[in-house]
Amino acid sequence: MPYKPNDVQVKILGVSGSPRKGVTDYLTQMALEEAAKVPGVTTEFLPLRTKHIEHCIQCESCLKLTPGEKYEHYCRPFHDDMDELMKYWLEFDGYIVASPVYDMNVTPMLNIFFNRFRPLWRCYRGIHQNKVGGSISIGGPRHGGQETTVAMINNFFLANEIVVTGGPAGNYCGACVWSKDKLPKDFDDPIGVEKVLGVGRRVAEVAKIMKAGRDVVGDARPEWEI
């Protein structure tokens, strides 16, 4: 049966990997506002700086967990915010992840967040299949590592079986923004903003298409509860 635009409901999570409140938060929320214009889309915003996340110590505890079994703690050595963040993350159908450029890479905070997803990969392989991700990077210089930063975010998506969309034509790998190290009130990069809005729209649209497709053709993902 054909779908109407509002029949498919999806949730998009926007994650800011910045350690301070500034342009990264501003642009992530801008992308979410654009995503929410797509019928049937709701959004939520997660600034990582408000969370306590320890770095992975490669203890291999998660490798000893039994796939499919429900756990109180995925990372046994830690009792930080990451267990709840993993459960929260899995409530969403699509993700917009943004980071300022740190040495042509994502922030240490965002990288730690990515590293801690290993238990989900171990215990719930396939749990991310057919979800959608889009990336945003913000650099002070015009050519300050934005493309390598979105590549790192996209690599996280690919490693976790999340379908990557760069955005509209001309957004080859994600939105690359030139902040000139300005605050949101002084920020001015119309081309970058255009790409950010495109990422928001595309993540929302593709997430709806993927969810509708699963309803029609089925889903090969394991039926595991988190």
Side-chain angles (χ1 to χ4, degrees), residues 59-77 83 86 116-125 224 226:
C59 68
E60 310 291 20
S61 291
C62 57
L63 297 184
K64 300 169 185 170
L65 302 178
T66 304
E69 187 176 339
K70 194 170 183 179
Y71 299 98
E72 180 181 357
H73 298 293
Y74 300 109
C75 284
R76 291 175 178 173
D83 275 335
M86 283 189 279
R116 289 288 300 280
F117 273 80
R118 193 176 187 196
L120 290 187
W121 177 86
R122 171 69 181 94
C123 300
Y124 302 97
R125 290 188 185 183
W224 290 326
I226 302 301

Side-chain angles (χ1 to χ4, degrees), residues 2-16:
Y3 280 97
K4 294 181 180 179
N6 287 319
D7 289 344
V8 183
Q9 305 291 314
V10 298
K11 294 173 63 178
I12 307 298
L13 178 64
V15 178
S16 170

Side-chain angles (χ1 to χ4, degrees), residues 20-215:
R20 62 177 181 169
K21 186 176 182 180
V23 172
T24 304
D25 283 18
Y26 173 71
L27 293 174
T28 306
Q29 292 172 308
M30 184 181 290
L32 290 174
E33 289 172 5
E34 189 69 12
K37 294 178 182 178
V38 177
V41 174
T42 57
T43 66
E44 294 187 25
F45 173 59
L46 171 64
L48 285 185
R49 69 176 180 281
T50 64
K51 304 298 180 182
H52 172 215
I53 306 173
E54 296 285 347
H55 63 84
C56 177
I57 59 172
Q58 200 77 9
C59 68
E60 310 291 20
S61 291
C62 57
L63 297 184
K64 300 169 185 170
L65 302 178
T66 304
E69 187 176 339
K70 194 170 183 179
Y71 299 98
E72 180 181 357
H73 298 293
Y74 300 109
C75 284
R76 291 175 178 173
F78 302 117
H79 295 279
D80 57 5
D81 292 331
M82 198 60 201
D83 275 335
E84 291 306 314
L85 282 174
M86 283 189 279
K87 295 172 187 176
Y88 176 65
W89 170 274
L90 291 172
E91 295 175 8
F92 294 86
D93 305 287
Y95 310 99
I96 298 169
V97 178
S99 177
V101 178
Y102 274 42
D103 299 312
M104 299 181 69
N105 205 333
V106 298
T107 62
M109 177 188 308
L110 184 56
N111 199 38
I112 288 168
F113 178 69
F114 288 164
N115 293 161
R116 289 288 300 280
F117 273 80
R118 193 176 187 196
L120 290 187
W121 177 86
R122 171 69 181 94
C123 300
Y124 302 97
R125 290 188 185 183
I127 201 70
H128 284 121
Q129 281 179 7
N130 304 322
K131 298 194 177 193
V132 182
S135 57
I136 301 169
S137 67
I138 301 92
R142 184 67 187 94
H143 303 286
Q146 287 93 331
E147 287 199 351
T148 54
T149 300
V150 294
M152 292 302 297
I153 299 172
N154 291 341
N155 285 344
F156 166 76
F157 291 146
L158 292 169
N160 286 276
E161 300 184 282
I162 296 170
V163 176
V164 178
T165 177
N171 265 32
Y172 301 124
C173 52
C176 297
V177 180
W178 181 20
S179 73
K180 304 178 188 178
D181 292 323
K182 301 291 186 181
L183 295 174
K185 65 183 179 65
D186 302 313
F187 170 74
D188 181 28
D189 179 14
I191 295 175
V193 166
E194 175 190 347
K195 303 309 180 185
V196 166
L197 298 178
V199 167
R201 285 194 304 274
R202 285 298 295 157
V203 170
E205 292 166 353
V206 176
K208 289 190 66 172
I209 291 167
M210 299 297 284
K211 191 168 186 179
R214 291 199 300 271
D215 289 345

